[in-house]
Amino acid sequence: MRYFLDTEFNGFGGTLISVALVPEHGDQEFYVSLPLPDEIEPWVAKHVIPYLRHVPPGIDLELNRVEAADHVAAYLEGDGDPVIIADWPEDLAHFCALLVTGPGKMAGVDFGLRLELINAAGFSAAANSRVPHNALHDARALRDFYMAD
């Protein structure tokens, strides 16, 4: 199955704040936020942080990095061929970095997964999202854009 990915992070090169995966079919969405860094970039403080909790209560989890990585692995483990789709390279970079849980260790994605960076020229998650700069809502907007083609 294809899963549409979005992340929020603390500015260019900054730490991961939240990650969401939205499946192409069904409503089993994934969302997790991570502990906030001590210093938050001003733009992120204004446009991202106020919207972190704007997700359904059943999936609104705040976990540390290792717990979040294990949660991603558990979410995807029932799928024999997961494909992670993003429209921005930094989303894929943060997602992959999250799966690394320590030196020489990674979350249990031993089933493998594929990553795909799509050409979404003209698409803006923020312009099409119900709650702009919230990873879950932006991932939903990306799915809707992709599936409309």
Side-chain angles (χ1 to χ4, degrees), residues 27-104:
D27 61 356
Q28 297 301 310
E29 299 170 321
F30 175 92
Y31 177 83
V32 66
S33 62
L34 292 98
L36 295 175
D38 292 335
E39 292 186 32
I40 308 236
E41 293 290 324
W43 188 93
V44 173
K46 181 177 180 181
H47 296 281
V48 174
I49 303 304
Y51 306 103
L52 280 177
R53 306 271 77 89
H54 288 233
V55 298
I59 64 170
D60 184 12
L61 299 175
E62 183 177 339
L63 303 173
N64 68 39
R65 286 189 68 84
V66 172
E67 292 168 335
D70 290 342
H71 192 50
V72 167
Y75 173 76
L76 294 171
E77 77 179 342
D79 189 332
D81 187 26
V83 179
I84 309 301
I85 297 173
D87 65 336
W88 190 246
E90 205 163 1
D91 290 328
L92 291 170
H94 278 289
F95 180 77
C96 289
L98 177 64
L99 296 177
V100 178
T101 59

Side-chain angles (χ1 to χ4, degrees), residues 124-141:
S124 165
N128 292 285
S129 179
R130 199 179 116 237
V131 181
H133 309 299
N134 172 284
L136 179 64
H137 293 280
D138 290 358
R140 287 173 176 169

Side-chain angles (χ1 to χ4, degrees), residues 104-119:
K105 297 180 182 180
M106 72 173 189
V109 290
D110 53 352
F111 45 82
L113 54 86
R114 293 184 288 148
L115 306 173
E116 184 178 336
L117 178 63
I118 63 167
N119 177 357

